Amino acid sequence: MGMTLTEKILARAAGRSSVQPGENIWVSVDLLMTHDVCGPGTIGVFKREFGADAKVWDKEKIVLIPDHYIFTSDERANRNVDILREFAAEQNIKYFYDIIDRANFKANPDYKGVCHVALAQEGHTRPGEVLFGTDSHTCNAGAFGQFATGIGNTDAAFIMGTGKLLVKVPATMRFILDGELPPYLLAKDLILQIIGDISVSGANYRTMEFTGTAVDAMSMEERMTLCNMVIEAGGKNGTIAPDQTTFDYVRARTDKPFEPVYTDADASFYSSWHCDVSKLEPVVAQPHSPDNRALARECKDVKIDRVYIGSCTGGKTSDFLHAAKILKGNTVKVPTYIVPATQKVYEDLFTVKHEGQTLSEILLAAGCIEPAAPSCAACLGGPKDTFGRLNEPEVCVSTTNRNFPGRMGNKQAQIYLASPYTAAASALTGHVTDPREFM
């Protein structure tokens, strides 16, 4: 019997010729990522269990990325970054993307922004490898044909000290997305469609493997959106087989070697889900769960207070390009927050053009709030002075990935998850809006 992509990666990382779903195996880790929220806790466990003077297993296989609670006056949040900085210096960590001057993020050449997008942009996401991160959306990197998943502080601390982790091999659910994607749909619509079908627990501790002609035609950033929200279905990880699109992206960012693997033709799947994407419509996830799906046009009577375009799911360059296509020549009716995921994305806003204008020119002319410093910002709520945070019980259309009560701040706030197209269209009307009205 053949193996799936995930099974092959884990088998190789365990030094075995084959593995089966349900087996518990020790795997060697290629990369560990932690950030300012979970990093201090991970470091604390590492020092407690391995010793105050212990050294990490490999100083070049750990990535420290401050990104969550950065641009705030909150002393505890600032202290978290200090702890990362002290640990990076103590351990001589090669990849620490520090920020020292919070008043001017552009004065910090090492600062990147949101960890999941930064990992990809800096060449840390490579086919065939094993990546663990202390953040549930680490599954974002599965778009590159690797095994990537989120873990807790204790597991991360164990990896810090040993470079290994005990993993139960997940069964694989296959999602076949065929057909030509209509011009009014994006990967965000597809993943919300899937989560709405299978529920937030429909893929519990399983791999979600995406394939089909629609996936083949996607850019890397759109593939990242698909894999990013696997966790919202309860998945362990998401995967997409690497192809020339993958190789071109990765090789432009790193010269490190990698060895891709592919699902065997006779591999066994837990289940298969098939969809002709040409028949789908724009969707949203209504409050307060990512699986509370509705067609965007069915929510046209929902009055909104603001729109938020950003996060690892919706703050990439292509996400702002999609929003700009809707906003160009129009004016927003509600406050519209623009939060680029990384410094690179921020720079792209001022250089990438659509119909002769830069993205920033289009966004600002439409009345959007000036782009914020790159970070997770209000996606995880954060301190009350966080940019875009919902401090009042408002209604928000957001390109983020979760809409649980309190996720973006106020517990009574209502968050509608949507694609950049739908978010931009909603900003223009002040109601949840199907983007086809502006296309």
Side-chain angles (χ1 to χ4, degrees):
M1 180 66 70
M3 291 189 290
T4 65
L5 189 154
T6 287
E7 290 160 9
K8 283 189 174 181
I9 293 174
L10 293 179
R12 187 165 68 192
R16 294 177 49 171
S17 59
S18 65
V19 296
Q20 293 183 343
E23 284 191 275
N24 291 303
I25 58 173
W26 286 99
V27 298
S28 295
V29 179
D30 292 295
L31 198 76
L32 171 69
M33 183 280 298
T34 190
H35 50 51
D36 56 294
V37 174
C38 295
T42 296
I43 292 165
V45 176
F46 169 74
K47 287 182 173 291
R48 185 189 71 203
E49 299 298 328
F50 290 93
D53 299 322
K55 296 298 181 182
V56 299
W57 108 95
D58 192 323
K59 63 186 180 183
E60 294 191 10
K61 291 187 176 182
I62 295 173
V63 180
L64 305 179
I65 306 184
D67 65 348
H68 274 62
Y69 302 149
I70 304 303
F71 302 102
T72 172
S73 60
D74 187 281
E75 292 182 359
R76 290 174 297 180
N78 299 158
R79 176 58 186 150
N80 276 0
V81 180
D82 292 340
I83 293 171
L84 289 188
R85 185 178 302 114
E86 293 162 4
F87 186 72
E90 169 196 306
Q91 298 285 337
N92 195 25
I93 301 296
K94 182 175 182 179
Y95 300 110
F96 171 44
Y97 299 114
D98 196 8
I99 183 163
I100 298 173
D101 184 355
R102 290 181 290 109
N104 178 15
F105 73 89
K106 287 178 279 189
N108 300 268
D110 293 331
Y111 179 69
K112 301 303 175 187
V114 179
C115 58
H116 311 299
V117 180
L119 283 171
Q121 291 180 343
E122 297 304 310
H124 295 300
T125 51
R126 296 179 290 269
E129 295 191 355
V130 173
L131 164 64
F132 288 104
T134 58
D135 188 292
S136 56
H137 291 105
T138 301
C139 53
N140 185 89
F144 294 86
Q146 67 175 173
F147 178 83
T149 193
I151 54 173
N153 294 356
T154 303
D155 281 350
F158 188 84
I159 293 173
M160 268 190 178
T162 67
K164 296 184 180 297
L165 191 65
L166 184 66
V167 177
K168 183 171 75 172
V169 180
T172 296
M173 301 172 70
R174 180 171 52 177
F175 293 82
I176 307 167
L177 307 176
D178 280 329
E180 184 176 349
L181 196 66
Y184 46 80
L185 292 183
L186 293 169
K188 184 66 168 288
D189 294 291
L190 301 186
I191 192 62
L192 289 178
Q193 179 74 31
I194 291 170
I195 295 170
D197 275 4
I198 70 174
S199 86
V200 290
S201 60
N204 276 1
Y205 207 91
R206 289 188 279 274
T207 297
M208 295 175 69
E209 180 176 307
F210 301 100
T211 187
T213 57
V215 178
D216 294 341
M218 285 182 183
S219 68
M220 283 312 306
E221 292 196 347
E222 285 288 88
R223 294 179 189 186
M224 288 161 66
T225 297
L226 269 188
C227 289
N228 181 282
M229 289 187 65
V230 159
I231 188 63
E232 270 69 54
K236 179 66 172 176
N237 69 305
T239 57
I240 295 175
D243 58 10
Q244 195 58 48
T245 300
T246 317
F247 301 148
D248 290 346
Y249 186 102
V250 174
R251 286 172 177 149
R253 291 161 178 80
T254 180
D255 57 4
K256 291 186 177 179
F258 55 84
E259 187 178 345
V261 297
Y262 298 90
T263 294
D264 291 326
D266 59 345
S268 178
F269 295 95
Y270 179 88
S271 63
S272 286
W273 184 96
H274 186 270
C275 178
D276 179 353
V277 301
S278 67
K279 298 179 179 179
L280 299 179
E281 295 186 57
V283 296
V284 297
Q286 305 172 100
H288 292 283
S289 180
D291 63 359
N292 190 14
R293 186 190 66 212
L295 296 177
R297 60 180 173 81
E298 294 175 335
C299 302
K300 62 182 179 180
D301 294 330
V302 176
K303 185 177 183 298
I304 66 174
D305 300 297
R306 62 168 67 186
V307 165
Y308 184 98
I309 304 176
S311 86
C312 54
T313 320
K316 303 179 292 296
T317 300
S318 59
D319 297 316
F320 293 111
L321 177 60
H322 292 136
K325 290 177 181 178
I326 300 290
L327 295 172
K328 184 175 173 61
N330 297 303
T331 303
V332 300
K333 290 188 176 180
V334 295
T336 301
Y337 295 80
I338 304 298
V339 189
T342 64
Q343 280 223 59
K344 176 65 169 63
V345 176
Y346 183 92
E347 293 166 0
D348 286 347
L349 293 181
F350 296 88
T351 57
V352 173
K353 292 186 177 183
H354 171 61
E355 295 183 349
Q357 287 184 290
T358 65
L359 300 183
S360 64
E361 288 172 340
I362 294 171
L363 297 172
L364 293 176
C368 297
I369 296 170
E370 186 173 342
S375 74
C376 295
C379 178
L380 194 56
K384 288 194 174 181
D385 62 351
T386 299
F387 181 84
R389 187 183 191 274
L390 289 164
N391 290 324
E392 302 296 332
E394 295 182 321
V395 180
C396 176
V397 172
S398 178
T399 64
T400 54
N401 41 39
R402 286 187 183 151
N403 59 349
F404 305 132
R407 170 70 183 188
M408 294 182 70
N410 188 283
K411 292 182 180 179
Q412 280 73 50
Q414 298 183 54
I415 303 164
Y416 286 77
L417 303 179
S419 76
Y421 281 159
T422 301
S426 301
L428 295 177
T429 65
H431 293 78
V432 176
T433 302
D434 188 316
R436 287 176 290 187
E437 292 188 20
F438 294 93
M439 301 181 84

